[in-house]
Amino acid sequence: MVIYGHQNGHLMFVMEPITSLSVVRQTLQTTQKCAEECNQDYGLVTYDLNAAKPAMQIQARESPTFDNIFIRLGAFHIEMAFFKALGKLMAESGGSDMLTETGVLAPGSLNGFLTGKHFNRCKRLHPLLALAFESLHFKAFLQTCDFKEELHTLISTVQTITNTEGEPGLELMISTDLFKNCATQYSKYTNATLSGAHGYTAQFWMTYVEYINLFHRLERANRTNDIELFVFTLTPIIDLFFATAHINYSRWLTKYQLDLLNIDDTHPGLREILNQGAFTVRRTEHDFSRIPVDLTLEQTINADAASRLTGITSFTNDYSARLRWMITKATRASCISLLQEMTGLISKEDVTAELRPRRIQRDNEDLQKIIKQILDTNIPFETNNVSEVLYNISTGKGTSEEICQSLLNVPTKGKARHKDFIEYCKNDPNKFESPIKKEKLKTFEDGCATNRRTNNTKIVALKGTRNLIGRLLVLATRKRLDMQHILQYPLIPVPLSMASPDEVMTKTDKSALFDLLENKVKDIEQRPEKVSAYIIDGQFLLHSLPPKLPPTYGELARSIISQSLTSPAKRIHIVFDDYPQPSIKDTERDRRGSDNRTFVITGPEQRRVPRDLNDALKSRSFKKQLPQFLANEWQDPSYANILGDREVFLDVPGECYNFQVKEGVIQRDTVDGLRNNHEEADTKICLHSLSADCENGDIVIRASDTDIAVILLYHCHRFQSRLWMDVGTASKNNRRYVNVTAICKELGPGLCAALPAFHAFTGSDYTSAFVRKGKI
């Protein structure tokens, strides 16, 4: 490379990048010269990471030439890297969807938000999202505590005192025993959440909240020029960088923290200078308004001297033009800045911008939008439904166990790797710059489907992002491509009108259609008179069992048959799903959190593990094993007294059995007419209903599924019996009968025949719904 000379020493490298060793050496020499002219013993210089690395290397290699310089990593760039690490954790987790769905974040800005490049958006929206989660977490805590009324009174009092008496009254309230007890209990509840006691998804999002609290501490250290707090906060930040494989920041931020800790030994007296205000920059007279040095540079000379259209990069390759631009940069920036301040077009950034009434109102409105979106979508802090599945809070799709453990162990793994690196360097300081082994972090993105194609034995993942549009525009300009023709075709594997970018189908509320149909006959007497057959959806039956169930499978079988015989009908049908593989419903089952654990039920004395039946029902293996066990167990003579004069039909995959008592003995027969190869209980129920059809009778279907209602309405004209659905549960106080036959008469044969197609077109278990389009 040719080095051009100039009478202004530092301009001789104007054509070289900042990471060039010659450029970095020149900045160190200039720093020494500035310190000498100011009669200072030490020089302070702040770099971003790419320039700090060669600067620290030069300082160490040429010691003691530059030992009187203290090299700092820019706090602004540290925060950007921190936001990028957070974005890596939360990408495809559903958290960012809460922002885009509410309009708080534009979809086109999502990539910049997740990569940390849009600093102002990150600084505002990450705390808002964290506050929304913490608010919901605190509400969950209120539901579990023993002194709810006192807490609600305390909260109201705090709000009143804050508005009337201000800080003195608030400090007095904080000192009360009730407040201290509340804080202690909430701290214990939070620690329980962080340990996974309230579910894996709750643990993940509370860990995210803790990271945002970490950012608040770092921001406070910058705003108050608090060096000790800054150094203290760096440790967990470095842990996060190690966990997310940000190797360069992990290594060099560790050295920077060590330099700050040893500053009294290496640069005696410099700590006092930093504490007096040299650590950060204060541009206004307001308190709590200091900002990092590198952020000040971005907001002043770089912003004022740059073109608003293109920035300061790639505007020309002509040396003379660049030289003129560099010579006049400072003067031009100063003139522009002063002119804008005089005309009131800009104001120096400080804390007051975030405390203006309009900004506070906007933040409060956006916070309420985010909270409402989470409540409407999926609350991760449900106290009565603790899930040991880490799932996307937007789509409900569960992650694999590997991804779950990888994300939940980020704090502990990062801390361990950080500690190992320090011990490694202590044993041999020469190995500081040795390669650090990268351990890939499995995130939500790894569980997303990508469209892949093979090209010259290389696998290329295609992503539907705006970067693809940018590349297309460049190619169109160079090769004269017709963009209008290209954009007639989709640029991603799936249409975004019917699926998310990770190829998960868009879901809709199916129950809205059922509610609409039910309202058609709400004025008709809703109770069957003579029940000839009672048909039960097996999965619905299992999910509606009481929470405290006996510990063995034999006792569980008795509970199931006892629950089934609560109807006065003489004929009871229990119908279970089949689970063939592959299946058209595999995607839907995976979204609901289905897992591949294997269960083997050996006999009635076997104890149930896990004890939580709902947890076991996530396994396909268990849902296959249990019906087969019931078919064998109910042959036991002890069930004769339970069955009495009833008939029970049990539909299991591939077979249908009839159980009845003859001469005091349980007899099990195979029912050939009801043997079928259907996968879904929805269609099996219709088959069983037809087999039980009789004149002047009522057939009741115990289920709560819109799919079943649609199928029954389609076939309703075939029945002589009146069809009813027994829906809802007693625990929710919404159990009721729905007259399917009356709905059929109200709709007419034409609409009933069209319902299945309408239901499938607008979204079902097998088909995608349209984005933001419901059933009605």
Side-chain angles (χ1 to χ4, degrees):
M1 177 180 290
V2 178
I3 305 296
Y4 296 93
H6 192 271
Q7 60 182 359
N8 297 309
H10 63 279
L11 291 181
M12 63 187 299
F13 305 110
V14 69
M15 297 296 287
E16 295 189 47
I18 183 60
T19 54
S20 168
L21 292 178
S22 56
V23 174
V24 174
R25 184 191 304 277
Q26 180 65 47
T27 61
L28 292 174
Q29 293 172 351
T30 303
T31 302
Q32 284 184 323
K33 185 176 180 182
C34 291
E36 181 182 348
E37 292 178 357
C38 296
N39 296 319
Q40 296 291 325
D41 294 331
Y42 306 110
L44 283 172
V45 60
T46 302
Y47 297 104
D48 64 6
L49 179 64
N50 290 332
K53 287 194 306 182
M56 290 180 176
Q57 290 167 339
I58 291 172
Q59 187 183 47
R61 186 169 57 248
E62 301 185 14
S63 178
T65 304
F66 299 110
D67 285 358
N68 67 329
I69 295 178
F70 189 79
I71 299 173
R72 299 176 52 204
L73 287 176
F76 164 60
H77 287 85
I78 293 174
E79 289 178 348
M80 290 183 67
F82 178 74
F83 287 136
K84 182 178 181 180
L86 282 183
K88 185 175 183 179
L89 293 181
M90 68 181 296
E92 299 298 338
S93 65
S96 54
D97 293 336
M98 301 300 105
L99 301 176
T100 55
E101 288 295 324
T102 55
V104 174
L105 176 68
S109 302
L110 178 59
N111 186 57
F113 171 76
L114 293 176
T115 56
K117 294 179 180 179
H118 294 174
F119 177 73
N120 288 330
R121 288 192 181 93
C122 290
K123 186 176 68 171
R124 175 175 177 266
L125 296 183
H126 273 298
L128 280 181
L129 183 61
L131 182 56
F133 281 117
E134 189 154 26
S135 298
L136 294 173
H137 182 253
F138 187 74
K139 288 181 180 179
F141 161 71
L142 291 179
Q143 296 175 8
T144 62
C145 64
D146 299 328
F147 43 95
K148 295 181 183 178
E149 295 183 2
E150 293 87 344
L151 274 180
H152 286 294
T153 303
L154 175 64
I155 294 170
S156 301
T157 305
V158 169
Q159 291 174 341
T160 303
I161 290 177
T162 304
N163 295 330
T164 57
E165 301 180 26
E167 188 173 342
L170 191 58
E171 290 180 355
L172 182 63
M173 176 59 65
I174 290 174
S175 63
T176 62
D177 292 337
L178 178 61
F179 187 91
K180 291 179 179 178
N181 184 31
C182 173
T184 302
Q185 295 298 323
Y186 182 63
S187 177
K188 292 180 180 178
Y189 186 83
T190 300
N191 290 335
T193 302
L194 290 171
S195 65
H198 302 140
Y200 289 160
T201 307
Q203 180 183 357
F204 174 81
W205 286 112
M206 274 311 294
T207 303
Y208 169 76
V209 171
E210 289 297 303
Y211 279 127
I212 298 304
N213 290 337
L214 190 64
F215 163 72
H216 287 312
R217 290 203 295 271
L218 185 66
E219 188 74 354
R220 180 180 182 84
N222 289 325
R223 288 189 177 275
T224 59
N225 204 75
D226 191 335
I227 302 174
E228 284 71 23
L229 179 60
F230 183 85
V231 174
F232 174 77
T233 309
L234 283 183
T235 300
I237 290 178
I238 298 172
D239 293 346
L240 177 63
F241 287 150
F242 269 102
T244 53
H246 284 64
I247 299 303
N248 285 328
Y249 266 103
S250 302
R251 187 198 313 274
W252 294 101
L253 203 54
T254 300
K255 183 183 185 309
Y256 178 46
Q257 185 186 35
L258 181 64
D259 290 344
L260 288 172
L261 289 170
N262 296 330
I263 194 171
D264 293 329
D265 297 327
T266 59
H267 298 76
L270 184 57
R271 181 183 295 275
E272 288 73 17
I273 296 175
L274 293 175
N275 284 330
Q276 290 171 6
F279 191 68
T280 51
V281 178
R282 182 173 179 176
R283 298 177 61 203
T284 71
E285 295 300 322
H286 296 287
D287 294 329
F288 204 71
S289 297
R290 290 182 171 275
I291 57 177
V293 175
D294 47 340
L295 179 58
T296 305
L297 185 67
E298 294 291 338
Q299 292 178 350
T300 54
I301 187 168
N302 283 353
D304 295 333
S307 165
R308 299 300 180 187
L309 298 178
T310 61
I312 62 174
T313 59
S314 303
F315 59 93
T316 180
N317 287 323
D318 182 72
Y319 168 70
S320 299
R322 286 195 174 192
L323 194 60
R324 289 193 299 272
W325 188 88
M326 287 295 296
I327 293 174
T328 62
K329 175 182 178 181
T331 304
R332 184 172 63 253
S334 178
C335 292
I336 294 173
S337 178
L338 287 172
L339 180 61
Q340 289 180 327
E341 286 185 28
M342 291 171 60
T343 56
L345 293 177
I346 64 169
S347 60
K348 294 177 181 178
E349 183 169 330
D350 56 33
V351 71
T352 59
E354 299 175 11
L355 299 178
R356 291 170 184 160
R358 179 57 191 145
R359 171 64 181 271
I360 293 175
Q361 180 184 357
R362 179 190 175 195
D363 287 347
N364 284 332
E365 290 174 354
D366 288 346
L367 175 63
Q368 296 307 316
K369 289 179 184 177
I370 297 169
I371 292 176
K372 184 179 184 302
Q373 182 66 28
I374 297 173
L375 289 172
D376 292 343
T377 308
N378 204 326
I379 308 173
F381 306 111
E382 288 281 11
T383 56
N384 57 353
N385 186 21
V386 176
S387 173
E388 294 187 357
V389 175
L390 178 61
Y391 55 82
N392 181 308
I393 61 171
S394 176
T395 64
K397 179 182 179 181
T399 64
S400 66
E401 182 67 18
E402 182 183 11
I403 293 175
C404 175
Q405 294 304 318
S406 177
L407 286 171
L408 296 182
N409 291 327
V410 161
T412 54
K413 285 188 176 180
K415 186 176 182 179
R417 291 172 191 169
H418 186 189
K419 182 179 178 180
D420 291 343
F421 176 72
I422 293 175
E423 293 297 326
Y424 178 73
C425 294
K426 283 172 63 177
N427 295 332
D428 187 357
N430 294 325
K431 292 184 178 181
F432 172 75
E433 294 191 53
S434 299
I436 299 176
K437 182 180 178 181
K438 276 190 176 183
E439 293 190 31
K440 179 172 174 55
L441 174 68
K442 294 284 187 178
T443 66
F444 282 93
E445 282 190 315
D446 293 293
C448 297
T450 55
N451 182 25
R452 297 180 179 270
R453 69 181 179 196
T454 303
N455 183 19
N456 296 328
T457 69
K458 294 182 179 181
I459 302 298
V460 182
L462 303 180
K463 297 183 179 179
T465 65
R466 64 179 184 175
N467 295 334
L468 181 59
I469 295 291
R471 292 196 295 270
L472 282 175
L473 290 174
V474 172
L475 289 173
T477 303
R478 293 179 178 176
K479 299 187 177 183
R480 297 181 181 179
L481 301 178
D482 184 358
M483 286 298 295
Q484 185 174 1
H485 175 72
I486 292 175
L487 293 177
Q488 291 177 359
Y489 302 93
L491 302 180
I492 57 174
V494 292
L496 292 180
S497 61
M498 303 182 71
S500 60
D502 60 358
E503 299 186 21
V504 175
M505 293 190 302
T506 302
K507 308 307 294 183
T508 188
D509 183 10
K510 297 191 297 183
S511 64
L513 177 59
F514 186 85
D515 294 339
L516 179 67
L517 295 172
E518 185 181 0
N519 287 334
K520 295 287 185 181
V521 293
K522 62 182 179 180
D523 297 329
I524 301 176
E525 181 64 28
Q526 299 292 306
R527 195 164 192 84
E529 297 176 357
K530 182 181 178 182
V531 181
S532 58
Y534 194 73
I535 302 172
I536 307 172
D537 181 348
Q539 288 302 315
F540 181 83
L541 172 64
L542 295 178
H543 282 286
S544 61
L545 291 174
K548 293 183 178 180
L549 292 170
T552 66
Y553 282 105
E555 294 170 316
L556 176 63
R558 290 181 180 274
S559 298
I560 292 172
I561 197 169
S562 298
Q563 183 82 1
S564 305
L565 297 176
T566 55
S567 168
K570 297 293 184 181
R571 181 169 176 160
I572 309 295
H573 295 249
I574 305 172
V575 183
F576 285 95
D577 292 320
D578 193 3
Y579 296 90
Q581 284 188 310
S583 167
I584 193 174
K585 205 175 178 180
D586 283 344
T587 302
E588 175 64 15
R589 288 173 180 146
D590 290 341
R591 188 188 72 83
R592 294 176 181 176
S594 177
D595 61 44
N596 295 319
R597 288 176 294 174
T598 301
F599 284 82
V600 178
I601 303 176
T602 57
E605 300 304 320
Q606 180 182 344
R607 300 187 70 84
R608 295 189 299 110
V609 178
R611 290 290 300 274
D612 184 359
L613 183 61
N614 288 328
D615 185 21
L617 287 173
K618 295 174 184 175
S619 167
R620 297 181 187 182
S621 172
F622 179 81
K623 289 185 284 191
K624 285 182 177 181
Q625 289 276 320
L626 184 60
Q628 295 292 347
F629 167 72
L630 295 178
N632 295 323
E633 172 65 13
W634 288 350
Q635 296 181 87
D636 190 274
S638 62
Y639 285 87
N641 292 331
I642 300 175
L643 193 57
D645 60 348
R646 310 283 192 92
E647 267 190 285
V648 172
F649 292 82
L650 179 63
D651 192 317
V652 300
E655 285 291 350
C656 182
Y657 300 105
N658 171 253
F659 296 86
Q660 56 183 320
V661 179
K662 293 182 178 180
E663 298 179 356
V665 179
I666 286 280
Q667 182 173 332
R668 188 187 81 171
D669 298 315
T670 301
V671 185
D672 295 333
L674 291 178
R675 182 187 290 125
N676 60 81
N677 60 356
H678 296 199
E679 177 178 351
E680 286 282 295
D682 302 355
T683 53
K684 292 183 180 183
I685 285 174
C686 190
L687 175 65
H688 281 256
S689 300
L690 283 170
S691 73
D693 191 24
C694 65
E695 192 173 356
N696 298 323
D698 293 314
I699 298 176
V700 177
I701 293 91
R702 177 69 173 130
S704 188
D705 193 333
T706 304
D707 298 347
I708 295 175
V710 168
I711 294 171
L712 289 174
L713 284 169
Y714 180 81
H715 292 285
C716 191
H717 67 280
R718 301 171 181 265
F719 288 85
Q720 300 180 54
S721 302
R722 291 180 296 274
L723 295 179
W724 298 79
M725 287 187 70
D726 181 0
V727 300
T729 59
S731 61
K732 294 184 178 180
N733 198 31
N734 64 351
R735 188 164 180 177
R736 62 202 184 277
Y737 289 102
V738 178
N739 192 333
V740 177
T741 301
I743 295 175
C744 179
K745 291 179 180 178
E746 185 72 21
L747 294 179
L751 282 179
C752 288
L755 268 179
F758 171 80
H759 183 48
F761 185 75
T762 53
S764 66
D765 290 347
Y766 305 100
T767 58
S768 176
F770 292 96
V771 172
R772 297 175 184 168
K773 298 292 183 183
K775 287 285 184 182
I776 57 176

